Amino acid sequence: IFLSVVLLTVALSSSAAFLEPYDLLYDNAVQAFYSGDYGNVVRFMEGALSSYREVRRTKVRCRLRCQDQHPFDQALSDLRFFDVVLRRAACMNTCIEEKLGTQSVHKVSEDVAQDFHRRIPYNYLQQAYLKLKQPDKAAAAAHTYFQANAEHVEMGQNLEQYKDLQGVNEDHFVDREARPHQHSFTAAVRLYDKGDYESAIVLFEEALVEYYKADVECRAQCQGPQRFEGHDHLRYRYSLHELVSDHFTQVLHCEHECVRDLATRPGRLSPMENYLPLHYDYLQFAYFQGELQVNGKWSALQCSLTYLLFHEGEEFMTDNVDYYREVLEHDGKPREHVAFPNYYCAVISVGGSLVYDSVQLVQNSVALNGSQRVLLDHVISEEQCAELRNLAHAVTMAGDGYRGRMSPHTPNERFEGATVLKTLQYGYEGRVPMKSARLFYDTSERARRIIESYFQLNSTLHFSYTHLVCRTAITGQQDHRNDLSHPIHADNCLLDPEANECWKEAPAYTYRDYSALLYLNGDFDGGEFIFTEMDAKTVTASVKPRCGRMVGFSSGGENPHGVKAVTSGQRCAVALWFTLDPLFREMERLQADEVIHTLDTQSVWGQGLNINPKDEL
């Protein structure tokens, strides 16, 4: 089984610097696992992880060293510039091969790279260590894997079992791949929330040091060969200027992505919004609260001015700066270490394009007192709202989507809904205008495109569930109501207010990544949409529905939300949930896509549509 490793080792044994390729070690570890040879699973998998880290470390060190040895001078002529480019490339190749051996040996497939990114090796390790009766190491491996795969229900159950095993204690549940800057930041926020500002300051400062170190290393990783997708290399006939320009365009794009990468938690595809500036926001207040002496206010002023480098003119921070200046009777300067070239343009913006000219941004995450939140107006027109409300009155059915329960969330309101496919079927049967059914479909697609663009997602956003819904206050049951139309919850995890946690496990829809609610009217009493803290009590933002208004947000525990009681009238909306995982696409949506495709490509009025009523949810 392991002959390939032996042969490769012998073949390259003349190189003192030879490092065994991590993809080969990984492959042998997997083979050992399925052969039941758990000792070799650990041996080869730990070796693969060690080799993987060493390859990354070596490339970073060599690239940073060669950048220092061959710097770009702003006054360089074209010829001198190309000379530096070539010398730097030769320097990096020589340095890397001296330490690792032939570079081609360490090129791995995209599948292997993704497995290491997703921490798949730790899943094998936790099972192997358990078989070898080393539960402490198994617990660490399981915990490491679970940090990037929180939706893995079985691993979550394994972790609970490890807690009861003899020889396992809390200290064993460590993340072996923890990113120091994120670890320190998270710990600092916890202390800040508890009011321990002095301790929080120490960790926030530590997080910043680690962040800038990680930023330098990430950018160094971008200095190697780049992929030129879409180019036919056999016909690549560009000049040297164009070739070098293409390369550095790819490098700049890669460096820009470092900002997203450093702000993205394990297992997530989208970054924490406003991540780096938040450090300075927390620090300015912590310094002010934690140190009432002059030094504390000086630090608070510095951090406030640094924050404004990212968000120039932001009102609340500008007010803070004015206050600190007044108290100190002096001006200050931003932190020096943040001011390196071309960084600010790469900071994650509050939001991306809204796609459609008519759509208006009302509030971003900051204004809504949270993260990954947005409130938009004019997503659809008054006429379209009216048409969709008329459609809802014709097609919605009590209890639809909730197993026929007419009042699934409160006995004081009636709940009615309809899916896209059902609406299209009604259109085909002539029970509602096909134009209106098509509007429902097109409106949901419009909402999807806006959410995907605004949150700047790297992957395609797929429909997970789409629902045209109305909630109606039941006459005679509205006196002295103290319940909610929809209790506080999160969309992809089970909210646990007592533990201040949100558990990504069944029966939660753990695959949902983003949610949106597009309102069709506002002529009712109550029914405000609210965001809360994890305690499910402290309201952080409230949204009053109106025609064409849409609230969008990430679906996790960072955005607990609910709906206040509808005490009079009827509240209608298009409710949408999205997933980044194509495996969890809404099947009804795929069928609806086929119907729309048929409508768009041929005349269907005399031919009929092949819609199976049994396909309905």
Side-chain angles (χ1 to χ4, degrees):
I1 293 174
F2 312 115
L3 183 60
S4 54
V5 170
V6 174
L7 289 175
L8 186 58
T9 303
V10 171
L12 296 173
S13 59
S14 58
S15 171
F18 172 69
L19 180 73
E20 291 181 294
Y22 66 87
D23 59 340
L24 199 58
L25 290 165
Y26 179 49
D27 180 64
N28 280 276
V30 173
Q31 291 185 48
F33 179 84
Y34 288 109
S35 299
D37 185 358
Y38 299 109
N40 271 323
V41 171
V42 169
R43 174 190 163 203
F44 284 109
M45 198 64 82
E46 292 288 9
L49 288 166
S50 177
S51 176
Y52 171 72
R53 295 189 199 99
E54 185 58 30
V55 168
R56 290 175 61 89
R57 273 197 300 266
T58 298
K59 288 181 177 179
V60 166
R61 289 170 183 164
C62 287
R63 289 167 182 172
L64 290 176
R65 180 190 302 171
C66 293
Q67 286 178 45
D68 290 340
Q69 291 178 1
H70 303 283
F72 289 122
D73 187 334
Q74 292 182 350
L76 285 179
S77 64
D78 283 358
L79 189 59
R80 175 63 181 148
F81 173 79
F82 292 134
D83 179 66
V84 172
V85 169
L86 295 175
R87 288 181 183 277
R88 182 182 286 188
C91 172
M92 288 191 292
N93 287 336
T94 300
C95 176
I96 292 170
E97 293 197 356
E98 282 178 355
K99 298 180 182 303
L100 299 181
T102 306
Q103 288 190 70
S104 60
V105 172
H106 298 286
K107 288 184 178 179
V108 302
S109 69
E110 187 63 29
D111 287 343
V112 170
Q114 280 298 313
D115 276 6
F116 276 75
H117 178 71
R118 292 166 52 216
R119 304 187 178 183
I120 301 299
Y122 289 99
N123 194 4
Y124 288 103
L125 276 175
Q126 71 98 15
Q127 297 180 69
Y129 276 125
L130 195 60
K131 293 286 187 180
L132 295 171
K133 301 188 185 308
Q134 299 180 54
D136 53 337
K137 293 182 178 180
H143 181 77
T144 302
Y145 175 81
F146 193 65
Q147 295 308 298
N149 300 273
E151 75 287 351
H152 197 289
V153 176
E154 184 181 352
M155 188 64 78
Q157 295 170 344
N158 289 350
L159 283 169
E160 290 301 315
Q161 293 172 5
Y162 285 134
K163 293 176 182 177
D164 298 327
L165 289 179
Q166 186 175 2
V168 176
N169 59 54
E170 189 176 344
D171 293 338
H172 293 138
F173 293 92
V174 296
D175 182 359
R176 292 178 50 182
E177 297 287 340
R179 307 179 84 173
H181 68 284
Q182 290 186 357
H183 178 76
S184 296
F185 177 75
T186 302
V189 171
R190 289 198 191 101
L191 292 170
Y192 179 96
D193 289 341
K194 293 177 180 177
D196 186 356
Y197 298 113
E198 300 287 353
S199 300
I201 287 169
V202 174
L203 286 176
F204 278 126
E205 295 289 7
E206 183 179 295
L208 282 172
V209 171
E210 293 294 344
Y211 179 94
Y212 288 117
K213 178 182 175 182
D215 181 86
V216 169
E217 293 178 354
C218 182
R219 289 166 188 267
Q221 289 282 357
C222 295
Q223 296 301 316
Q226 300 293 319
R227 294 181 180 178
F228 291 85
E229 294 180 6
H231 287 302
D232 184 343
H233 292 281
L234 295 177
R235 299 180 181 179
Y236 199 91
R237 296 291 184 270
Y238 297 117
S239 69
L240 180 61
H241 286 82
E242 291 169 318
L243 181 64
V244 173
S245 176
D246 277 353
H247 170 78
F248 280 103
T249 298
Q250 296 290 328
V251 170
L252 286 172
H253 175 74
C254 176
E255 290 184 350
H256 179 86
E257 288 302 303
C258 284
V259 182
R260 297 179 62 86
D261 175 64
L262 296 180
T264 303
R265 287 193 175 104
R268 302 296 299 175
L269 294 175
S270 56
M272 291 175 274
E273 191 172 348
N274 206 34
Y275 180 65
L276 179 57
L278 269 178
H279 289 66
Y280 296 101
D281 186 9
Y282 278 118
L283 274 171
Q284 63 90 20
F285 189 77
Y287 272 119
F288 174 68
Q289 291 290 334
E291 297 183 42
L292 298 180
Q293 309 96 325
V294 173
N295 286 341
K297 291 186 176 63
W298 271 114
S299 298
L301 176 58
Q302 276 190 315
C303 291
S304 298
L305 289 168
T306 307
Y307 181 91
L308 288 174
L309 292 175
F310 300 98
H311 299 294
E312 185 177 0
E314 191 155 277
E315 185 176 356
F316 85 91
M317 194 61 77
T318 301
D319 290 343
N320 288 356
V321 167
D322 291 341
Y323 170 76
Y324 297 139
R325 284 171 173 164
E326 183 179 349
V327 171
L328 293 167
E329 298 181 350
H330 288 288
D331 201 354
K333 293 182 179 180
R335 295 274 191 94
E336 289 185 4
H337 67 261
V338 77
F340 50 88
N342 300 323
Y343 185 80
Y344 309 123
C345 63
V347 175
I348 299 168
S349 60
V350 173
S353 165
L354 297 177
V355 185
Y356 304 97
D357 292 338
S358 63
V359 180
Q360 176 185 346
L361 175 64
V362 179
Q363 290 181 300
N364 59 19
S365 294
V366 175
L368 289 168
N369 301 312
S371 65
Q372 297 283 290
R373 300 176 181 177
V374 67
L375 183 64
L376 308 167
D377 271 349
H378 307 302
V379 174
I380 58 176
S381 67
E382 293 280 355
E383 293 76 15
Q384 290 170 323
C385 283
E387 187 171 352
L388 288 175
R389 288 199 306 272
N390 290 333
L391 178 68
H393 296 153
V395 302
T396 56
M397 181 180 299
D400 179 273
Y402 285 88
R403 299 178 181 175
R405 289 180 291 160
M406 195 174 86
S407 301
H409 305 303
T410 169
N412 301 307
E413 297 173 22
R414 186 174 71 254
F415 182 95
E416 298 163 299
T419 60
V420 171
L421 185 63
K422 176 183 176 181
T423 306
L424 287 172
Q425 184 179 353
Y426 270 43
Y428 166 66
E429 294 171 353
R431 299 163 68 176
V432 297
M434 180 58 82
K435 173 176 171 290
S436 298
R438 176 66 185 260
L439 176 62
F440 179 21
Y441 176 91
D442 290 341
T443 296
S444 60
E445 173 59 24
R446 183 182 181 93
R448 186 197 67 80
R449 290 193 62 200
I450 292 170
I451 295 297
E452 182 181 81
S453 176
Y454 180 81
F455 288 112
Q456 303 179 76
L457 303 178
N458 291 326
S459 303
T460 301
L461 203 57
H462 305 280
F463 289 96
S464 168
Y465 192 54
T466 314
H467 218 193
L468 178 60
V469 293
C470 292
R471 305 165 187 270
T472 309
I474 298 175
T475 304
Q477 294 184 205
Q478 302 306 313
D479 293 340
H480 310 297
R481 279 189 66 179
N482 58 7
D483 63 336
L484 296 175
S485 175
H486 199 143
I488 304 300
H489 64 285
D491 287 339
N492 71 10
C493 53
L494 302 178
L495 192 63
D496 184 349
E498 295 298 323
N500 211 40
E501 292 283 356
C502 202
W503 310 105
K504 290 196 75 170
E505 57 188 52
Y509 300 100
T510 56
Y511 48 83
R512 290 179 177 173
D513 294 294
Y514 285 87
S515 310
L517 293 157
L518 173 59
Y519 302 111
L520 305 182
N521 67 317
D523 55 343
F524 51 85
D525 294 329
E528 293 89 351
F529 176 94
I530 53 175
F531 286 113
T532 74
E533 298 284 7
M534 290 276 279
D535 62 8
K537 296 176 182 177
T538 307
V539 175
T540 56
S542 179
V543 174
K544 176 62 178 174
R546 56 184 285 186
C547 165
R549 172 166 287 180
M550 183 168 77
V551 59
F553 49 94
S554 56
S555 303
E558 67 278 6
N559 283 318
H561 59 278
V563 179
K564 289 187 176 180
V566 178
T567 56
S568 175
Q570 185 181 64
R571 176 190 192 270
C572 293
V574 175
L576 306 116
W577 293 271
F578 305 102
T579 178
L580 291 162
D581 190 338
L583 293 176
F584 292 98
R585 288 177 294 179
E586 179 183 14
M587 294 309 298
E588 276 213 13
R589 185 72 191 198
L590 298 179
Q591 293 168 322
D593 290 341
E594 294 179 9
V595 173
I596 293 297
H597 178 72
T598 303
L599 288 170
D600 287 344
T601 56
Q602 60 181 289
S603 174
V604 300
W605 306 114
Q607 300 177 22
L609 292 174
N610 183 23
I611 303 176
N612 183 357
K614 293 182 180 179
D615 288 331
E616 292 190 57
L617 291 179

